[in-house]
Amino acid sequence: MQGIICGAHNFKVGDKVVVTLPGAVLPGNFAITARKTYGHKSAGMIASTRELGIGEDHGGILVLSTLGLDPELGSDALELLGLYDEAAEVNVTPDRGYAFSIRGIAREYAHATGTSFNDFVLEYGARAPKANSEGIPVRLEDSAPIHENPATIRFVMRRVNGVDATAPVPTWMASRLRLAGVRSISLPVDISNYVMLETGQPLHFYDADKVQGEIVVRRAVAGEKLTTLDGVERDLHPEDIVITDDSGVIGLAGVMGGASTEVTAETKNILIEAARFDEVSIARTARRHKLISEASKRFERGVDPQIQQAAAQRAVELLTQLAGGTADAGVTDAALPYHPVVIDLPSGYTAGRIGVDYSQEQIVACLSEIGCDVEKTGNGYSVTVPSWRTDLLAKEDLTEEIARIDGYDKIPSSLPVAPAGRGYTPSSRCAAVLWTHLPRPV
């Protein structure tokens, strides 16, 4: 039997809490020892979420029932809270936007190890209902596209009614977010972030009862302002892409939402936005407003234009399962025609560039592995690039991928042969003659 003195007031008899006994070391190298408190010996400490390193709340101790947990007494709290989990840090190059997600990293792991890859995002998409007339009306406009690229090529919206925004965040979700460097805030926010990390598609949630009328996605008008979720009023630039309703601007597209439609603890109905915005526009907006967000990092590198319905479906399912909501029948999918990139790869081009005589089977196998559709033509191959590989634009890119997938170790190493010389030039011959006739020092 252990006696522990605690000054917190947010728990009662029968609550189950996390106890750290003498010898335990909490984050920040905080060693727990038995010490005298209020005239009594306290053999340990009852911990808060901040002391455990899993949140910022330090207003009281962590009561496990608030996380939806009811463990057996004596259970291992580290296992219960997912604190044994580990994460690998991966440095992603700027051109590999698809790798900013579990989906992309899993795909690359499969390439590196020969493991089969199951694209779970396609499964989400297969469960998504088709767009219909019951969804919220959305209009895409762009009077001044940058480099002739439209501001938005796809904008999907779904609605979930009757959610409990105060429902606890599951420990598995909070643990995975923490390992990814994302702080757990609330169930709706955490679901939005979790789906982004999982699929690579940033989402935005609106309080549906605060949205008025038709949604229009357009460029900002000079003089317009928006107070973003961080409480800052921002002067908008004509290049900024904004989300508007009948009340005005309600979001800075791809960067941060507006405070007027923020999801709070009182929110009951949620609108889900999954869109595909122009990379250059988002990059400029994020830097112009000094507002680099997890969403903007992904949009400026290129988001798969074919996964918006899948990501929205995943969010709908999590909100219904964890927040007790009900999926609305309405589905909005405002989109411009999608034209995949098709590249001609001449026969012999890859061998000439890399120095390896790849067979037709090797070329087709390597390109198929990264998701390309390959068709043999009279003078080479016609390669249709998958939607998530926005970095593949030319035959040089395909050649690099063939070399990478087949293995850099298979590229032979050989020193170049120096060209044959032509002897001395007239000026160098003259200099040599003069050198032989110059007096030498004694």
Side-chain angles (χ1 to χ4, degrees):
M1 201 66 170
Q2 300 284 356
I4 297 177
I5 309 299
C6 180
H9 301 283
N10 67 316
F11 66 105
K12 62 184 183 301
V13 174
D15 281 342
K16 295 178 180 178
V17 297
V18 177
V19 173
T20 56
L21 299 176
V25 180
L26 295 178
N29 200 30
F30 181 22
I32 302 300
T33 60
R35 53 183 73 181
K36 199 168 185 179
T37 305
Y38 301 118
H40 300 276
K41 181 180 179 181
S42 181
M45 187 180 77
I46 304 176
S48 70
T49 55
R50 184 194 294 178
E51 290 161 340
L52 292 169
I54 60 175
E56 296 299 319
D57 185 11
H58 196 53
I61 63 168
L62 171 60
V63 178
L64 293 173
S65 61
T66 62
L67 300 180
L69 300 174
D70 185 21
E72 294 291 329
L73 295 177
S75 298
D76 186 345
L78 295 179
E79 181 177 356
L80 186 70
L81 298 173
L83 298 179
Y84 283 128
D85 294 342
E86 297 180 353
E89 184 171 327
V90 181
N91 291 323
V92 181
T93 56
D95 60 326
R96 302 286 176 134
Y98 69 94
F100 275 69
S101 65
I102 297 299
R103 182 198 192 200
I105 293 298
R107 191 184 296 278
E108 286 300 315
Y109 179 84
H111 296 334
T113 62
T115 307
S116 60
F117 173 71
N118 176 39
D119 195 345
F120 55 88
V121 173
L122 298 181
E123 297 176 7
Y124 300 156
R127 298 198 294 265
K130 301 295 183 183
N132 55 54
S133 59
E134 299 178 54
I136 185 169
V138 171
R139 186 154 39 94
L140 308 181
E141 296 181 351
D142 190 0
S143 57
I146 298 176
H147 302 318
E148 299 184 356
N149 293 318
T152 312
I153 63 172
R154 196 171 188 190
F155 197 91
V156 170
M157 297 205 85
R158 298 285 301 277
R159 175 171 173 144
V160 179
N161 300 319
V163 300
D164 179 5
T166 63
V169 178
T171 53
W172 59 265
M173 180 178 288
S175 175
R176 293 176 187 179
L177 290 173
R178 176 179 53 80
L179 288 173
V182 179
R183 181 169 57 93
S184 178
I185 298 174
S186 68
L187 184 58
V189 174
D190 288 3
I191 287 174
S192 174
N193 286 329
Y194 185 80
V195 174
M196 175 186 68
L197 293 172
E198 188 180 55
T199 67
Q201 171 65 55
L203 300 177
H204 184 66
F205 289 179
Y206 302 85
D207 186 321
D209 296 322
K210 298 175 182 176
V211 175
Q212 304 174 28
E214 181 186 34
I215 295 290
V216 178
V217 187
R218 57 169 173 81
R219 301 282 177 179
V221 176
E224 284 187 311
K225 298 179 182 292
L226 171 68
T227 300
T228 44
L229 289 171
D230 55 2
V232 177
E233 184 180 71
R234 302 181 185 276
D235 295 319
L236 301 179
H237 187 277
E239 281 189 355
D240 292 335
I241 307 172
V242 293
I243 315 299
T244 69
D245 67 359
D246 291 352
S247 68
V249 180
I250 59 173
L252 193 56
V255 179
M256 186 174 284
S260 63
T261 55
E262 180 181 8
V263 173
T264 66
E266 290 72 40
T267 296
K268 297 301 179 186
N269 305 307
I270 290 178
L271 276 178
I272 301 167
E273 169 204 300
R276 212 291 191 174
F277 301 113
D278 172 53
E279 296 96 324
V280 174
S281 297
I282 300 304
R284 291 183 180 180
T285 292
R287 285 154 182 76
R288 183 182 301 116
H289 294 282
K290 297 180 175 60
L291 195 58
I292 308 298
S293 64
E294 289 295 327
S296 70
K297 290 177 185 177
R298 287 161 175 80
F299 279 123
E300 69 181 43
R301 287 165 172 80
V303 170
D304 184 348
Q306 296 294 293
I307 65 166
Q308 286 68 43
Q309 279 281 24
Q313 176 65 21
R314 176 62 164 159
V316 168
E317 292 174 356
L318 289 173
L319 284 170
T320 56
Q321 293 167 10
L322 303 177
T326 302
D328 191 88
V331 179
T332 300
D333 189 353
L336 301 180
Y338 169 68
H339 302 290
V341 174
V342 179
I343 303 171
D344 290 328
L345 180 64
S347 297
Y349 180 83
T350 301
R353 284 281 179 157
I354 305 300
V356 176
D357 189 16
Y358 296 107
S359 67
Q360 176 179 323
E361 291 73 19
Q362 285 177 301
I363 291 175
V364 172
C366 290
L367 294 177
S368 297
E369 184 174 335
I370 64 173
C372 294
D373 290 329
V374 185
E375 181 182 345
K376 189 72 175 72
T377 62
N379 60 349
Y381 309 88
S382 176
V383 182
T384 302
V385 175
S387 58
W388 60 86
R389 289 302 301 267
T390 57
D391 59 309
L392 301 181
L393 301 172
K395 57 188 177 183
E396 291 82 2
D397 301 324
L398 298 179
T399 296
E400 290 178 0
E401 286 298 278
I402 292 169
R404 182 175 76 94
I405 297 299
D406 188 63
Y408 294 135
D409 57 311
K410 297 180 182 178
I411 301 175
S413 299
S414 59
L415 291 174
V417 178
R422 296 182 179 179
Y424 288 118
T425 64
S427 60
S428 62
R429 282 198 297 271
C430 181
V433 170
L434 290 174
W435 177 255
T436 60
H437 290 83
L438 288 175
R440 299 291 186 272
V442 179

